[in-house]
Amino acid sequence: MNSQFAPETDTNNSYDSEYITINGFIFCARHGLEVCDKCPTDNRSCNNEIVEKVLHEKLTEEEYQTKWKGDDRAPLSVANKYAKKDGKPVCMDHKQLGCNDCFDWGEKLYRDIHGHRKARGTRQTRKKRESERMN
């Protein structure tokens, strides 16, 4: 079936000569680094915009203000964690494009903040539980 619209392009998962984009996070193509002195690039600011809403929901306000380092956080790396398949980056373990098991950046950063523990619940869930206890 022909469509009047151009096919959708997956901009969250792409690969070109300068950058790799995996689940919306940008890394240098040569080294797979979020911050690379050789290329030189620092993509933390752009990448943080993607996960800040998720982190704000998962963290308490105090944790968000004190533990989230923003652009000063340790940079991420996808070196040796992806391969190219049909010009797109896929994870090495599952060979999936945009694999949420390997490239769930919000969960990864949450675990870095909390010492690699899983999230107990979102802020809305905690507020709901607190309001139920009050009633």
Side-chain angles (χ1 to χ4, degrees):
M1 180 170 150
N2 291 336
S3 173
Q4 66 184 15
F5 303 106
E8 287 187 32
T9 304
D10 183 6
T11 56
N12 284 327
N13 297 288
S14 62
Y15 186 94
D16 64 30
S17 61
E18 293 184 36
Y19 299 104
I20 308 160
T21 305
I22 301 176
N23 284 353
F25 265 47
I26 304 167
F27 303 88
C28 74
R30 292 186 77 189
H31 308 103
L33 302 173
E34 188 177 29
V35 176
C36 184
D37 294 332
K38 294 179 183 175
C39 285
T41 186
D42 184 347
N43 295 301
R44 288 179 293 190
S45 180
C46 295
N47 294 343
N48 286 345
E49 288 182 28
I50 294 168
V51 295
E52 281 183 339
K53 181 179 178 187
V54 172
L55 291 176
H56 205 68
E57 290 174 359
K58 289 184 175 187
L59 299 171
T60 65
E61 190 63 35
E62 181 182 344
E63 288 173 327
Y64 188 81
Q65 297 299 324
T66 59
K67 293 184 178 181
W68 172 237
K69 296 178 183 171
D71 293 351
D72 295 328
R73 67 172 170 77
L76 300 173
S77 171
V78 293
N80 302 319
K81 295 178 184 173
Y82 77 96
K84 283 195 306 186
K85 181 178 177 184
D86 300 325
K88 298 279 188 173
V90 297
C91 71
M92 295 289 278
D93 294 340
H94 309 103
K95 305 292 186 250
Q96 278 188 325
L97 178 66
C99 180
N100 283 324
D101 290 337
C102 298
F103 305 123
D104 184 349
W105 307 121
E107 184 66 24
K108 166 89 174 95
L109 292 172
Y110 176 85
R111 286 184 177 195
D112 287 349
I113 291 169
H114 272 274
H116 302 283
R117 292 180 304 179
K118 285 188 176 182
R120 292 187 310 213
T122 63
R123 181 180 292 187
Q124 286 85 13
T125 306
R126 287 192 297 269
K127 284 183 180 178
K128 183 178 176 183
R129 277 190 232 136
E130 288 173 9
S131 67
E132 288 173 356
R133 287 181 195 153
M134 297 290 207
N135 293 334

